[in-house]
Amino acid sequence: MLPSPQLGLTVRLVVMGVAGSGKTSVGERLAERYGARFVDADEAHPEANVAKMSAGIPLTDLDRRPWLAQLQRELADNDQIVITCSALKRAYREQLRRAGDVRFIYLAVEPATALDRVSARPDHFMGADMVASQFDTLEPPGGSETDVVMIEATGDLDTVVAAAIEALEHGLGAAPGFER
């Protein structure tokens, strides 16, 4: 378990992946476990972005710029925070890293799994017709991105959350402030 926030430890965690990877469900559970503030990046999108995605139009880098800046500020302004954010490109992750002490959990899924999950949530602005564009944009983390832990997110929620906790607390990508 994460030590008390009163100890002055910083934990800034981004749960990332394509639409339908389970970011919100996993992020909520991790925030609860570590007593951290939870922010769903979907709720931070400007109206213009939501309208575009609702119409089935993929966002551009320019569209994402103010959204990512807001998320970077949220990370920088909070010592105990879990944010769910697609963070599809390395450049987006680099911007979020500028907040300091950021760790990422990358929830990896196959396109068919993401499509099935997105299709099951009809009231969300990110429709099933947008899933392919998410995979087209995705630059999977790798190489020098040692602050990212990949979790296969195809199992049930409890299994995926347990794997994320194990990776954070004991894995190669263990974040400072997490028990080892």
Side-chain angles (χ1 to χ4, degrees):
M1 178 173 284
L2 185 70
S4 168
Q6 291 81 3
L7 296 177
L9 297 172
T10 300
V11 175
R12 295 184 179 105
L13 182 61
V14 175
V15 181
M16 62 161 289
V18 298
S21 63
K23 296 182 298 292
T24 301
S25 298
V26 172
E28 287 173 338
R29 291 268 194 98
L30 292 174
E32 181 180 329
R33 174 169 175 97
Y34 297 115
R37 180 169 174 239
F38 175 75
V39 175
D40 185 339
D42 283 349
E43 296 173 9
H45 273 294
E47 288 289 325
N49 286 7
V50 172
K52 216 173 171 181
M53 289 183 284
S54 295
I57 302 168
L59 298 179
T60 65
D61 288 348
L62 186 60
D63 294 326
R64 288 185 177 96
R65 191 173 296 152
W67 174 67
L68 288 165
Q70 179 181 344
L71 297 175
Q72 180 188 353
R73 284 189 300 275
E74 290 282 350
L75 285 164
D77 292 346
N78 292 278
D79 288 341
Q80 300 286 330
I81 189 167
V82 175
I83 290 183
T84 59
C85 172
S86 55
L88 297 173
K89 290 185 177 182
R90 184 182 187 114
Y92 305 162
R93 296 188 292 275
E94 289 298 331
Q95 180 171 352
L96 296 174
R97 285 183 178 101
R98 291 184 206 123
D101 297 324
V102 178
R103 295 294 180 269
F104 296 83
I105 295 288
Y106 168 43
L107 300 178
V109 294
E110 294 296 320
T113 300
L115 185 59
D116 287 346
R117 291 176 179 176
V118 171
S119 296
R121 54 179 204 192
D123 296 332
H124 195 278
F125 60 80
M126 175 66 78
D129 56 337
M130 297 290 294
V131 171
S133 72
Q134 293 263 292
F135 281 94
D136 289 344
T137 303
L138 178 63
E139 296 172 0
S144 64
E145 291 185 275
T146 58
D147 56 359
V148 181
V149 176
M150 186 189 81
I151 305 292
E152 290 292 336
T154 55
D156 65 86
L157 180 58
D158 290 338
T159 301
V160 174
V161 170
I165 290 167
E166 176 67 20
L168 288 167
E169 295 180 4
H170 305 287
L172 296 174
F178 287 84
E179 285 184 351
R180 287 186 172 258

